[in-house]
Amino acid sequence: MNNENNVSQVNSNVSAQKDNSGKNNGKQPRARGELKAEFAHVLAFLNSCTLYQADAVRVMVSHATGNGKYEDIDPADRLAVNRFLNHGMNKTNTLTADAVMSFRVGRSEVLLNTVTQFCNQAQALKATVALMRITTDAEAVKTAFDRLPDDNK
């Protein structure tokens, strides 16, 4: 999905607030209602996110839309994605390392479906490759398996 096209469509449907004061060098301030609608949209998105999802989306969209390579993703940001990928695992639903990998792949699909809403096709491909590398990182999978909690606590 190309966000640039969506932004221009959204902005063409919003009426601008008139500036009757003659100030601001001819620039028209954004209408208060327009700002509230934008904030409501962002808040609705954040409220729809699961635990760790908003941070993981931030990392993946930032990587996808940036110029950096996979290796340039900050370790703290990789940790944020791993937290999302591992959330919900326990010794009951992931008995083996293979089960951990399968769980993480399923979670990466959820994350990727969210991330692609903010990316064009080339960016989505970049996000997919990076997420695949994070998801299948043998060390991260082993660490997740070794640290599995006993139940859903």
Side-chain angles (χ1 to χ4, degrees):
M1 180 187 293
N2 189 339
N3 287 334
E4 294 165 357
N5 292 338
N6 292 337
V7 171
S8 63
Q9 291 171 353
V10 170
N11 287 340
S12 66
N13 295 329
V14 176
S15 60
Q17 177 183 357
K18 290 185 178 180
D19 183 12
N20 296 329
S21 64
K23 297 179 183 176
N24 296 331
N25 297 326
K27 294 181 184 176
Q28 301 219 350
R30 292 175 65 181
R32 190 173 291 244
E34 180 183 337
L35 290 175
K36 285 183 181 179
E38 185 176 320
F39 294 147
H41 178 70
V42 171
L43 187 57
F45 168 75
L46 292 174
N47 285 332
S48 73
C49 289
T50 62
L51 192 59
Y52 307 117
Q53 187 177 13
D55 209 21
V57 169
R58 173 194 57 81
V59 171
M60 296 312 302
V61 170
S62 176
H63 172 68
T65 59
N67 294 329
K69 299 177 184 174
Y70 167 78
E71 292 78 14
D72 298 334
I73 299 175
D74 188 78
D77 285 342
R78 285 187 200 174
L79 178 61
V81 174
N82 276 305
R83 282 186 179 137
F84 174 78
L85 295 175
N86 296 338
H87 181 69
M89 282 192 296
N90 57 55
K91 290 182 180 175
T92 304
N93 65 4
T94 47
L95 300 174
T96 65
D98 287 340
V100 169
M101 179 67 74
S102 177
F103 186 92
R104 288 170 57 91
V105 167
R107 296 283 289 170
S108 69
E109 183 179 351
V110 171
L111 180 57
L112 193 57
N113 284 333
T114 306
V115 169
T116 55
Q117 297 174 32
F118 303 100
C119 301
N120 63 32
Q121 188 174 8
Q123 293 166 338
L125 179 60
K126 185 176 178 182
T128 301
V129 170
L131 186 55
M132 185 173 45
R133 289 181 71 180
I134 293 171
T135 301
T136 59
D137 181 337
E139 185 177 324
V141 171
K142 182 183 181 321
T143 300
F145 182 69
D146 291 343
R147 295 182 181 174
L148 285 176
D150 289 330
D151 54 19
N152 286 329
K153 292 181 182 176

